[in-house]
Amino acid sequence: MLIHWMKKIKNFINIFTIFISLFIGLLLVEIGMRIAKIEYPMFQTYDYHRGFSLRPNASGWWLREGEAYVKINKQGLRDKEYIKNKNKNIFRIAVLGDSFAEARSIPIKKTFWSLMEKELNHCKKNKGKIEVINFGVTEYSTAQQLLTLRHHVWDYEPDIVLLAFFSDNDISDNSKILSNKDYRPFFVLKNNGLVLDNSFRKSKTYLLLKSWIGQFVIKLTDYSRITQLLKEVYIKQHFKKQSENRKQEINNNQNSPDENTISYNQIYNPIEEKWREAWFITESIIKLMNKEVKEKNSKFLVVTLSNPAQVHPDPSFRRTFIKKINNNDLFYPDKRIKKLGKKEDFLVVNLAKQMSDYAEENKIFLHGFNNSVMGEGHWNIEGHKIASQIISKKMCESLAR
């Protein structure tokens, strides 16, 4: 009997020792990650209307590209706190956009919209105190930005709605055929009109984010770097698998060239039917946005952002890029949106040409960071600075009208 109890005690001690060792090991890994500043914060959560959105009060250091401390406010915006009902002397500008507007890579005070607010408040033609509120969310399509306008922006009573349009991926992101992201809503063509497709609510990603397990893991990432790392590994594997499936589909179609070549060729010279449709859907969404803004007695402004190839400081690089596309006009998307603005009566500010001239003259990269790749990815601090100056100058002129 004594031997039996001693065996039980020994087994308990062994299990307890393993548990303590595992706990200490995980604790050391957690401490090590914090000392090494290894962090993968979770800024997003599910959203009934838009598929996903920024998570209120989420925070953390963004270090994958650039370096910045990101804090999401109580309303789920990467911005300071605002009161929804504005005072009479407040003139508000709402910014809609994707990762260029959310701008995780740089400090909030260096973002183009934050700099705009300062510059416009020094504009002699302004109409009271100006507030620029950022509604930008990484990975958002123009369709999601329209839904943001409908379900969130109007609560803040904006006088101007600014759409930050990024031609590199906004066109394909608006197409259910071209996009590989099934966890967001799309507008699809039906009887020559746009119909909202909310099938994302049945996608695995959305259902996982919405589930109690998903919400528990998201909350746990606020306290555990190990959980953040495991989440990051899972996400990378998920998108890697999606990318492999996408490439397999392309390889199965022997008439299709490389995926990246398809994208750039069709953005600048849309010949394939699915790309013509993607452009048509994109322009139709922008027209819907303009119509809604006018109905609310506000002004609509579209700012076409630069892509890395357009503003590369080396002219030879730009010439090489042009040879890869079936269109010699590097600014085709910008001009196309400008033409749409003239037709539909809304202001369009094209940034790329002026930013390209600035980059070449100063021999400076406006995209990219030292810890990523210079000349690729998002705007760096200098990119945001020159963009804000161009937009502010144009808006200062328009405020006088």
Side-chain angles (χ1 to χ4, degrees), residues 178 255-257 262 266 269-277:
L178 295 171
N255 296 321
S256 294
I262 292 174
Q266 297 302 320
N269 189 27
I271 297 173
E272 293 182 13
E273 182 58 33
K274 59 186 177 182
W275 278 95
R276 287 179 178 273
E277 181 179 290

Side-chain angles (χ1 to χ4, degrees), residues 91 93 115-128 130 132 160 162 299 301 303 347 349 387-401:
F91 187 88
I93 301 168
L115 294 172
M116 270 176 53
E117 185 174 270
K118 290 182 180 179
E119 290 163 9
L120 289 174
N121 273 303
H122 287 96
C123 174
K124 294 180 180 180
K125 301 171 185 177
N126 67 38
K127 302 178 180 181
I130 292 177
V132 181
I160 294 177
L162 186 158
K299 290 185 178 180
L301 165 67
V303 176
L347 180 64
V349 178
S388 72
Q389 291 173 355
I390 297 170
I391 300 169
S392 297
K393 182 180 179 181
K394 195 67 178 178
M395 291 194 71
C396 186
E397 294 171 359
S398 68
L399 287 174
R401 298 171 188 171

Side-chain angles (χ1 to χ4, degrees), residues 222-286:
D222 289 338
Y223 308 100
S224 170
R225 299 290 173 86
I226 294 174
T227 305
Q228 290 182 6
L229 179 61
L230 293 174
K231 177 266 302 179
E232 186 70 11
V233 170
Y234 172 80
I235 290 175
K236 284 188 175 180
Q237 288 299 316
H238 174 75
F239 282 109
K240 182 181 178 182
K241 186 177 180 181
Q242 279 195 331
S243 179
E244 289 173 351
N245 292 339
R246 185 77 167 169
K247 288 179 180 177
Q248 187 62 45
E249 289 177 8
I250 292 168
N251 291 334
N252 290 339
N253 184 353
Q254 297 179 357
N255 296 321
S256 294
D258 179 74
E259 182 182 7
N260 290 327
T261 305
I262 292 174
S263 298
Y264 280 115
N265 279 347
Q266 297 302 320
I267 289 171
Y268 289 88
N269 189 27
I271 297 173
E272 293 182 13
E273 182 58 33
K274 59 186 177 182
W275 278 95
R276 287 179 178 273
E277 181 179 290
W279 261 108
F280 179 80
I281 289 172
T282 298
E283 291 177 322
S284 297
I285 295 170
I286 294 174

Side-chain angles (χ1 to χ4, degrees), residues 112 162-166 301-305 347-351 379 387 391 395:
F112 78 89
L162 186 158
L163 172 65
F165 183 82
F166 182 54
L301 165 67
V302 177
V303 176
T304 60
L305 314 182
L347 180 64
V348 176
V349 178
N350 298 138
L351 299 182
W379 284 338
I391 300 169
M395 291 194 71

